[in-house]
Amino acid sequence: MATPASAGTTSAAAGDSKVVCTSQKPGLASELSHDIAGALNGRQGTWSLALYDRITKTTCELNANTHFDSASVVKVSVLGALLRQAEEAHRQLTPREVNLTTAMITKSDNDSTSALWHQIGAAGFQKFLALAHMRHTVPGPGGSWGLTRITAGDQLRLMQLLTAENEVLTPSSRSYALDLMNRVTPDQRWGVPAGSPASATVHVKNGWLPRTTGGWRVNSVGAFTGGAHDYGMAVLSTGNGTMDYGVVTVEGAARTIHRDLTGAA
């Protein structure tokens, strides 16, 4: 998509990479790029970030096409694939599917996710990714949904899909998904909601996974709606020494973004 002529684009170094932001709000691209870089510089691990704000027509990217292990953030994609299959079959979710999807998103229940992953099937999941234009996402092998390879760019496309009219998911499907993401249990509401304005409705899904190589994977994706807010972000990481360390870094970047966007509104 072409950048609007009136938009400003600014970049700032974050380690060996760059945070690149574009905005139609004067000064916002520069503020966000430098503040996000400042929040991530000096933090261990490898980081990726993507952001959109429809109100100020702002986008930011950092390593947005770099692959990371999904951990549990893939559960939103699993939900999307199930909802799409139900739409194509012209049916509502069954009581069993309602129970499974509720546990999968609000409690991050793994058994529920595995059941839905197998029900949807590899072809069904891949079809949803294609429809959603999540072209860089690579499903995990066999039953290993948590090892799906994702990018911040694709995760951001998913947040955009859930928060605007489109031909992939109906308004009722999108409302169902957003409601579940709004009802995540309190102990799992860390990550991108940190510092979000009280007037925003928060929709979030997090993922965390320790592996023998590359340390902790700590990921957080979310959308913020209502109260004149309409934005979303995805922050992915690997190489964290502990889960808590990764959470602190995610939340540092998120607070910066919320503050800058709220000040720009």
Side-chain angles (χ1 to χ4, degrees), residues 26-44:
L28 182 57
S30 177
E31 184 177 22
L32 274 168
S33 61
H34 287 88
D35 288 350
I36 292 171
L40 295 177
N41 273 323
R43 302 296 292 177
Q44 69 179 217

Side-chain angles (χ1 to χ4, degrees), residues 55-78:
I55 304 300
T56 58
K57 294 181 172 58
T58 298
T59 61
C60 290
E61 292 188 348
L62 168 68
N63 299 323
N65 291 326
T66 300
H67 282 96
F68 292 80
D69 292 330
S70 67
S72 288
V73 298
V74 76
K75 293 172 181 177
V76 183
S77 301
V78 173

Side-chain angles (χ1 to χ4, degrees), residues 230-255:
D230 188 1
Y231 62 96
M233 67 184 89
V235 186
L236 312 179
S237 72
T238 188
N240 298 286
T242 65
M243 176 180 168
D244 285 346
Y245 184 93
V247 171
V248 168
T249 310
V250 171
E251 294 189 342
R255 286 191 181 92

